[in-house]
């Protein structure tokens, strides 16, 4: 591939991904495309914000030592980010093909990395198995377009809620195993007390979903005590 | 009249012969609509024979559960009578009676459930329990001849994106607080435009948006595949109260609608990028909204997927969808003892096992 040449890889939900050689490095170009279904003013503001926060947070996480692609270049005005190319497979594509040991290893790794991220007041905002890549025997986290800084426990709990739901939707039979070791890894960094608090919050969020029967039951039993 | 060929739905061992003619009556009363529909399979062809309903329209405010249920009680005999007369079907000749047992408003649900239990016991017909959300999806699949779409279900009670997998509809993303229909109605009501919520087929928010010219920045909350509307509602109402003239109010409406719909479309787009489905189905009461239709249509086009919606009579709550889903369930042997057919106000879409959805 010649420097500057673009090779189309895929069309994601909000961005197009291209491969290129940037300053001699094999790179990914992430271009947030203007969407024809959005009001032009909305579109401009939206793409600017998402691009800026993504580049900022990924650089921060790289410095913290997480497995995330390195940012080489960012231009929020044009919705453009150039970052390191990670050659691997999305966990959402290969989870059921992995051995039990590998699933446990990656679940632990994701738990630890998520925990470090949260400890530094960063939430991912879209932590699904489609946003994790297995490469060089390591688990990478990608796509920080919905990420942000917050000290609110709620945001961290939503990360985990989303992860759990994405596994439930795609591989219901592997959900319990994966989450068990995810939490184990998470607790190693965050400690018992914080993890327990977070687990409660995750449960709260699940119950907030519409028409969850458990919520109704809980409410009724509470009223009984009053 | 619907007429499609979806034989693969009816692969039931030992039942092929009985499929020559099956007639199922369906009763819907989960919220503001009391509806009776009759679905049938005649010579292997699925048909909707009749779709009658009566809608409760509040004079002021939103839906009052007790008043809606009183409306249902008053209108039920007439709606049922009309459905039977128009289709020429007699209650003693139906094969089963289906009823939406949830999710919905308790007082309303009980009206439909009581009538269905009565028909079932008096005429000795099997009773089929139907989940209202499943029915919204199944009727959309029937009229559009779809087998495996990405479902965007938006109504006054639900806002979710779903796919079928492992015997169930799995929820990819949903609202964390209020549903889209509820959001639009509440906003229109609070700024004094509604009721009536819909005028000449157009929602008040759409009418108001036409007065506007400029986009205003409002809170946009997508958390992964889930969304949250409450912050948007609060901010939009605040802006609307500051509006000094029609154009300024129009700007708020335009921006409010733009932001809310973009959130739904983004969640749908995420689901589509994740699952790479080739069909997108919009269903539920808000599926009647043309602006949302055009946004989703454009979005689907970007991912080489085809966009489908449901026609007016089947978009809002209706009895035909309950009858059709009840028929599918009945053919696969799902029935319930009338003595145990309690209503379930909270009965999630993803709690229902559906025999016609493949195991993988």
């Amino acid at each position: 591939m010649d420097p500057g040449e673009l090779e189309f890889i895929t069309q994601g939900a909000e961005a197009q991904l291209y491969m290129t050689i940037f300053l001699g490095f094999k790179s990914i170009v992430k271009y947030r495309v203007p969407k024809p279904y959005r009001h032009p003013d909305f579109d401009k503001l939206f793409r600017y914000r998402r691009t800026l926060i993504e580049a900022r947070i990924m650089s921060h996480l790289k410095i913290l030592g997480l497995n995330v692609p390195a940012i080489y270049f960012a231009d929020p005005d044009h919705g453009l980010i150039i970052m390191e190319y990670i050659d691997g497979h999305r966990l959402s594509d290969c989870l059921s093909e992995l051995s039990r040991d590998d699933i446990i290893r990656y679940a632990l790794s994701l738990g630890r990395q998520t925990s470090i991220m949260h400890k530094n007041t960063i939430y991912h905002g879209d932590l699904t198995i489609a946003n994790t890549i297995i490469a060089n025997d390591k688990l990478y986290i990608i796509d920080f377009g919905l990420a942000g800084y917050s000290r609110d426990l709620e945001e961290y709990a939503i990360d985990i809620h989303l992860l759990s739901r994405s596994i439930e939707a795609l591989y219901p039979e592997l959900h319990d195993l994966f989450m068990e070791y995810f939490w184990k890894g998470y607790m190693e960094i965050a400690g018992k007390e914080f993890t327990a608090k977070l687990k409660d919050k995750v449960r709260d969020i699940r119950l907030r979903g519409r028409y969850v029967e458990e919520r109704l039951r809980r409410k009724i039993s509470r009223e009984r005590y009053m | 009249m619907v007429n499609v060929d979806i034989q693969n739905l009816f692969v039931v061992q030992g039942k092929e012969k009985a499929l020559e003619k099956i007639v199922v009556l369906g009763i819907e009363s989960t919220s503001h609509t009391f509806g009776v529909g009759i679905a049938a399979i005649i010579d292997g062809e699925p048909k909707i024979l009749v779709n009658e309903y009566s809608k409760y329209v509040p004079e002021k405010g939103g839906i009052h559960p007790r008043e809606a249920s009183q409306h249902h009680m008053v209108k039920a005999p007439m709606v049922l009578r009309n459905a039977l007369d128009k289709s020429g079907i007699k209650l003693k000749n139906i094969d089963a009676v289906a009823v939406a047992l949830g999710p919905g408003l308790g007082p309303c649900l009980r009206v439909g459930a009581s009538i269905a239990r009565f028909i079932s016991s008096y005429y000795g017909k099997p009773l089929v329990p139907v989940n209202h959300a499943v029915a919204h999806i199944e009727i959309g699949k029937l009229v559009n001849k779809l087998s495996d779409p990405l479902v965007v279900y938006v109504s006054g009670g639900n806002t979710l994106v779903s796919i079928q997998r492992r015997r169930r509809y799995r929820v990819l993303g949903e609202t964390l607080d209020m549903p889209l229909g509820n959001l639009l109605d509440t906003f229109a009501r609070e700024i004094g435009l509604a009721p009536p919520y819909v005028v000449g087929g157009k929602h008040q928010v759409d009418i108001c948006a036409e007065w506007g010219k400029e986009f205003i920045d409002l809170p946009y909350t997508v958390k992964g595949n889930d969304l949250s509307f409450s912050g948007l509602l609060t901010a939009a109402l605040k802006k609307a109260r500051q509006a000094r003239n029609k154009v300024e109010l129009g700007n708020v409406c335009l921006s409010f609608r733009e932001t809310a719909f973009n959130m739904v479309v983004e969640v749908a787009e995420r689901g589509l990028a994740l699952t790479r489905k080739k069909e997108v189905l919009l269903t539920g009461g808000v599926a009647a909204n043309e602006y949302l239709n055009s946004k989703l249509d454009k979005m689907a086009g970007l991912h080489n997927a085809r966009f489908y919606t449901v026609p007016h009579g089947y978009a809002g709550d209706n009895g035909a969808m309950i009858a059709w889903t009840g028929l599918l369930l009945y053919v696969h042997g799902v029935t319930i003892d009338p003595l145990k057919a309690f209503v379930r106000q909270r009965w999630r879409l993803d709690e229902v096992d559906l025999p016609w959805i493949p195991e993988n």
Side-chain angles (χ1 to χ4, degrees):
Chain A
M1 185 183 250
D2 295 327
E5 193 185 319
L6 287 178
E7 187 188 311
F8 179 78
I9 303 177
T10 182
Q11 164 90 48
E14 57 172 336
Q16 287 169 349
L17 294 186
Y18 296 88
M19 199 162 76
T20 193
I21 306 289
F22 182 75
L23 303 176
F25 297 109
K26 206 173 175 188
S27 312
I28 288 283
V29 178
K30 180 168 181 176
Y31 173 51
R32 284 194 161 73
V33 255
K35 297 283 184 182
Y37 59 79
R38 289 187 197 137
H39 190 285
D41 296 350
F42 177 96
D43 199 62
K44 212 176 150 200
L45 198 64
F46 188 79
R47 292 193 299 135
Y48 176 85
R49 281 184 188 158
R50 286 265 169 101
T51 309
L52 187 66
I53 197 78
E54 176 168 22
R56 189 179 286 163
I57 281 179
M58 284 175 78
S59 308
H60 188 171
L61 291 174
K62 192 78 192 169
I63 293 165
L64 291 172
L66 258 65
N67 297 335
V68 297
I71 298 286
Y72 297 151
F73 175 83
D75 179 359
D77 285 321
H78 296 96
L80 203 66
I81 292 179
I82 303 179
M83 65 181 118
E84 182 187 355
Y85 178 84
I86 309 285
D87 195 2
H89 297 281
R90 282 168 196 253
L91 201 53
S92 56
D93 293 332
C94 65
L95 188 60
S96 59
E97 291 151 29
L98 295 175
S99 69
R100 197 187 140 89
D101 285 355
D102 277 345
I103 292 175
I104 290 174
R105 200 157 54 85
Y106 292 133
L108 280 168
S109 164
L110 184 58
R112 288 185 198 118
Q113 293 193 63
T114 309
S115 190
I116 294 171
M117 194 164 76
H118 290 171
K119 237 187 165 158
N120 288 277
T121 72
I122 294 169
Y123 63 90
H124 184 283
D126 189 21
L127 193 65
T128 67
I129 47 171
N131 283 334
T132 54
I133 294 183
I134 304 296
N136 326 316
D137 250 10
K138 284 195 284 193
L139 183 135
Y140 287 80
I141 307 176
I142 58 162
D143 197 354
F144 288 80
L146 291 179
Y149 288 95
S150 173
R151 292 183 183 278
D152 192 351
L153 194 66
E154 166 104 13
E155 302 290 356
Y156 310 150
I158 281 178
D159 274 352
I160 296 164
H161 171 69
L162 291 171
L163 176 72
S164 150
R165 274 256 306 274
S166 75
I167 303 170
E168 225 163 34
L170 294 170
Y171 303 99
E173 68 285 358
L174 293 175
H175 172 267
D176 292 355
L177 175 72
F178 193 96
M179 288 314 290
E180 184 194 335
Y181 284 92
F182 173 87
W183 279 115
K184 229 176 216 171
Y186 196 97
M187 199 162 73
E188 282 176 21
I189 309 286
K192 233 181 191 159
E193 200 182 325
F194 183 83
T195 308
K197 232 168 55 183
L198 190 60
K199 266 188 181 173
D200 279 350
K201 194 81 185 174
V202 173
R203 188 170 165 275
D204 278 355
I205 288 169
R206 189 169 52 81
L207 295 184
R208 236 182 270 158
R210 294 194 73 74
Y211 309 122
V212 177
E213 190 119 26
E214 208 178 327
R215 179 171 69 181
L216 186 68
R217 262 191 244 121
R218 206 169 51 152
K219 200 170 137 207
I220 290 168
S221 64
R222 191 168 56 218
E223 278 159 7
R224 218 173 272 148
Y225 284 110
M226 283 162 72
Chain B
M1 190 164 290
V2 184
N3 196 343
V4 294
D5 175 44
I6 30 173
Q7 288 294 331
N8 56 339
L9 282 176
F10 303 111
V11 184
V12 189
Q13 274 189 336
K15 285 240 181 173
E16 286 83 354
K17 255 201 143 163
L19 287 178
E20 277 163 18
K21 186 167 183 187
I22 297 177
V23 180
V24 175
L25 179 109
I27 299 174
E28 154 69 32
S29 71
T30 56
S31 178
H32 50 61
T33 301
F34 182 87
V36 174
I38 298 178
I41 294 183
I42 298 166
D43 298 329
E45 298 279 338
K47 285 187 164 65
I48 302 293
L49 300 180
V50 72
N51 186 23
E52 284 290 305
Y53 48 85
S54 168
K55 229 173 165 175
Y56 158 73
V57 182
E59 280 171 29
K60 60 176 170 56
I63 300 168
H64 190 304
R66 183 186 63 219
E67 280 168 20
S69 72
Q70 281 165 357
H71 159 271
H72 295 347
M73 282 183 246
V74 171
K75 299 287 182 183
M78 184 199 77
V79 175
L80 181 59
R81 183 79 265 156
N82 286 349
L84 293 170
D85 287 350
K86 277 196 189 166
S87 61
I89 303 260
K90 291 197 164 67
L91 278 178
K92 62 174 188 205
N93 295 334
I94 61 172
D95 290 281
V97 55
V99 60
L101 286 181
L105 306 170
C108 300
L109 284 167
R110 281 178 204 107
V111 178
S114 303
I115 295 168
R117 284 188 297 245
F118 165 74
I119 295 173
S120 169
S121 1
Y122 189 83
Y123 292 91
K125 304 293 182 189
L127 183 62
V128 185
V130 175
N131 179 295
H132 177 84
V134 172
H136 265 296
I137 299 173
E138 288 302 335
I139 196 75
K141 279 167 69 182
L142 175 73
V143 297
N144 292 306
K145 305 181 194 183
L146 306 177
S147 57
D148 185 17
L150 178 97
V151 178
V152 182
Y153 170 26
V154 281
S155 67
N158 279 287
T159 294
L160 57 86
V161 173
S162 162
I163 53 156
Q164 57 192 49
R165 201 177 171 96
R166 312 249 153 114
R167 290 268 179 266
R168 290 184 184 186
Y169 286 106
R170 308 277 172 180
V171 176
L172 291 177
E174 66 185 322
T175 175
L176 294 171
D177 40 45
M178 61 198 318
L180 183 63
N182 191 352
L183 172 80
L184 298 175
D185 285 359
T186 307
F187 180 75
R189 183 168 68 236
E190 292 292 317
I191 61 172
L193 294 174
Y197 296 91
V198 178
V199 179
K202 267 189 171 171
H203 196 277
Q204 293 285 12
V205 171
D206 289 310
I207 297 170
C208 170
E210 284 170 14
W211 307 337
K213 290 190 176 70
E214 280 170 49
F215 177 78
I216 314 168
D217 191 22
L218 289 170
Y220 179 101
T221 320
V222 169
K223 302 186 175 193
N225 281 334
D226 290 332
L227 31 83
S228 158
F229 289 121
S230 51
L232 170 64
L233 179 64
T234 311
L237 285 176
K238 200 173 159 196
K239 286 252 158 70
R241 283 176 189 130
Q242 289 162 359
R244 283 163 303 183
N245 54 47
K246 208 170 162 180
V247 177
E248 283 190 9
L249 184 61
N251 289 340
V252 180
C253 287
L254 178 148
S255 314
F256 166 74
R257 182 183 68 171
E258 181 72 23
T259 308
F261 285 4
N262 284 352
M263 283 162 61
V264 175
V265 177
E266 184 183 8
V267 170
E269 192 165 16
R270 285 177 171 273
L272 201 56
L274 179 72
T275 59
R276 306 204 171 93
K277 300 274 181 209
K278 289 290 148 219
E279 300 157 341
V280 177
L281 171 67
L282 177 64
T283 189
V286 192
N289 190 297
E290 280 174 30
Y291 192 62
L292 182 59
N293 272 276
S294 85
K295 272 181 182 283
L296 281 166
D297 192 8
K298 283 178 195 159
M299 185 280 287
L302 296 177
H303 296 269
N304 300 318
R306 303 247 345 233
F307 172 73
Y308 300 87
T309 187
V310 283
H312 273 275
Y314 301 126
D317 295 352
N318 64 85
M321 68 182 195
I322 306 298
W324 168 244
T325 311
L327 191 151
L328 288 174
L329 287 164
Y330 172 65
V331 167
H332 289 89
V334 180
T335 57
I336 192 169
D337 178 354
L339 286 172
K340 290 179 184 143
F342 302 115
V343 303
R344 291 180 66 181
Q345 285 105 315
R346 292 160 201 247
W347 187 16
R348 280 180 65 81
L349 171 68
D350 52 10
E351 287 173 20
V352 196
D353 272 320
L354 300 166
W356 58 87
I357 292 182
E359 189 53 62
N360 51 36

